[in-house]
Amino acid sequence: MAEAISVTGPIAGTDKTITFETGVLAGLANGAVTSRIGDTQVLVTATASSRPRDGASFFPLTVDIEERMYAVGRIPGSFFRREGRASDDAILTCRLIDRPLRPNFPGDYRHDTHIVGTILGADHVNPYDLVALNGASAALWLSGIPFDCPIAGVRIAYSTDGEWIPFATHEESEAATFEMVVAGRQLDSGDIAVMMVEAGGTEKAFEYYAEGAPKVTEDVLASGLEASKQWIDDIIEMQKSLRRLVEEQSGPISVMEYTSSKDYSDEVLDRVREVATDRMREVMAIADKADREAAQSETSSAVVDEVAAEFADLDGAKDQIREAVRSLSKEIVRERIVADGFRIDGRATDQVRPLSSVAGYLGRTAHGSGLFQRGETQVLNVTTLAMSRMEQIVDTLNPQDRRRFMHHYNFPPFSTGEAGFMRGPKRREIGHGALAERAIFPVIPSKEDFPYAIRLVSDVLTSNGSTSMGSVCASSLSLMDAGVPIVDHVAGVAMGLVYADGKYVTLTDILGAEDAFGDMDFKVAGTEDAITALQLDTKIDGIPAEVLAQALQQARQARLQILKVMRAAIAEPRPDVGETAPKITSFEIPIDKIAEVIGPRGKVINSIQEETGADINVDDDGTVGTVSIGATDREVVEEAERQIRLIVNPPTPDVGATYEGRVVNITKFGAFVNVLPGTDGLLHISKLGGRRRLNSVEEVLELGDVVSVIVEEIDPNGKISLSPADPTQVGGSEGDADGADDGAPPRRERGRDRDRGGSGNGTRRSRTPVAAAVTAGDGADASAADGDDEGGVASAPSGTAREDVSFGEHFEQIAKDVYGDLGPELEQSGRGSGRRRGRR
């Protein structure tokens, strides 16, 4: 095995270090680097094809992130128990890496280039995305693939104390109000040019703001971008040191020879300029997108037909002419913006297109809906609310295992007037949806304040510039219409930049063509006084700080204008969720009460759900239980909550009081009757059947029977003894109680039984089995129906007179003291002890 070459350097302002290592793993790749922070490590490889892709009019760069569940010591939770489709986290990391890398390749380079990041370890402390980004740059820098210069990225989190924390951990980000990923490269002057920014507020940002934390404004963002340059510069210097070590050991790294691929020759472009400039100026001044694109297509075809004959000997002449016409269109648009201050659709550089907002567009069929339109960009957003059990379960390397708030973005082909296939979300849709979700996330109420799972779906209906920011606006309208108590409206706007002749011009609310032809894509979202999300990509070396600061202020003015239109549609969240939305309440219960609420095999909770019609979910975090109750009827929720709270904090029954109860359990010694929610008492078998002796409780009672009972006693342990309020309800009769003769032969008690419990004690007998035989002995067997007839009562011979003997007062008092603890089967301690059974 080859010897490792590595460099390690401190991360200024922290106790962390970052390491780059090469020479051991993936030796056949053009470049391979293992980067590491803490115990999070990523192997990143860079490879390129030896020939350019045929017919490619763009740079075919592909970035893949391979999440390996072994990195966190887990087996994948899928059916196949192996990794499958890339997770959203992995896809977003791919985009995070691609965007700052792509501008650093030569413009005429068309070889397939593949960056693969394999996550070898994830310590749940340090996120892997920036480790992978810096490793990708280092791998390219060592690979010999034509790559202009190394880049670096840093995540910084804005603390509640107003300080930027570099390479923030998961925990530090959660405790911050805002986090930002910044990537850049070194200029010849030594300064750092910002090439990519990805930023957003945290879940508790507005909660921290309410407690006095400084808000993230345009000035705060500008300070963060400036602060990030220090760490970017340090990491770039480490990559340069790694390359020097490799070259000292193995010799200079030679840059691979590649075949230059030009979209058109200089001669073709010059001829197209002569023929088409005036015509294309007229075309690119058409404001309507559909009319402009139709005219552009028609003019381009005419120019191709006119010029192609002059280049008949040139391979692919028509394709080159077509690309030259497109390049001319870009020149004309940029020239008009910089020189005249006017844009494709005639707007001024700081002018927003016409706006419209509608809340509740879909009426009562949806829990909430919002329709937002800015120029030709139109987005419909729908909010759906559900019980917390509908939260998304996340099985990734991210420590987060559930997502309560979800935003999904759809971009169908018809939104641009095209025909195509729809096969699920692509990487672009996942990225745009994540950006809009990041912008809305900070204003979503906490689960304690609003115990719902929330799903937003943004359907782009027409597209001509910044559908992701249109999704932000539509989402905000939809949430307020749904009655979700968000802190404030959130609006977003896309900004552009054109740099020509040494002049920077910032564009507000860019069109799709301005995005394609411009030098920057800059999206900003936020409330009136705080930024919630930011995304920036550049196609040039970088943007001066003062230009970026001016662009932020220009974006704020546009955002305030959009917010005004949105507030006219709906100014604040509706006071309650909609008629068709579930009404959900949530409250905590002691963890030791969860079993009582659920009941054996779920009997209690299922009974409440069947009785009320509510949907009930019980969860716990190991320390406390959480009950969520949902139903479309608010009264149903309140009734289910009342019943559960009575189980958790049951009322105490009063001794001597009568209650209407339901039989919830039957044993051989009696029936348990629910007298109050969560409170059961024992109705002993000896108190059933009047004066009849019962072989089983089922002779007079069944599960679910409703009986009136009296609370006779509550012992110090809380055990409740009951008696029937009406003996006739539970198998007794006046005849039984009075010992009326029903024609049965008389019975006599054995002599040895007459001596029990004092002189004169005995029992009144009838033809039916005795109701009970009682002794004062503690812990006696209370069963009267188990078939044991030791010491039982003998029946008198047929035809003899029946002897009636009454209990003495003393024995009656003893029996009363022990009812509920003893059954018909008795055991007597002391001299002459034995067992007796009643028998026919």
Side-chain angles (χ1 to χ4, degrees), residues 479-481 483-484 486 488-489 566-567 569-575:
L479 285 165
M480 284 200 175
D481 180 55
V484 180
I486 60 175
D488 196 1
H489 264 310
M566 293 170 62
R567 289 196 180 100
I570 182 169
E572 59 186 18
R574 303 202 188 280

Side-chain angles (χ1 to χ4, degrees), residues 4 131 142 233 275 344 360 365 386 399 413 542 605 612 802 806:
V131 180
L142 300 180
D233 187 66
V275 172
I344 293 176
T365 58
I605 195 170
T612 63
R802 191 173 77 180
S806 64

Side-chain angles (χ1 to χ4, degrees), residues 747-751 753-754 761-763 765 793-794 805 836:
R747 296 185 178 186
R748 294 182 180 273
E749 292 185 338
R750 295 180 180 177
D753 291 333
R754 297 186 182 184
N761 287 345
T763 180
R765 310 301 303 168
V793 179
V805 182
R836 76 175 177 183

Side-chain angles (χ1 to χ4, degrees), residues 727-749:
T728 62
Q729 278 191 328
V730 288
S733 68
E734 293 300 327
D736 287 335
D738 295 339
D741 188 359
D742 56 3
R747 296 185 178 186
R748 294 182 180 273
E749 292 185 338

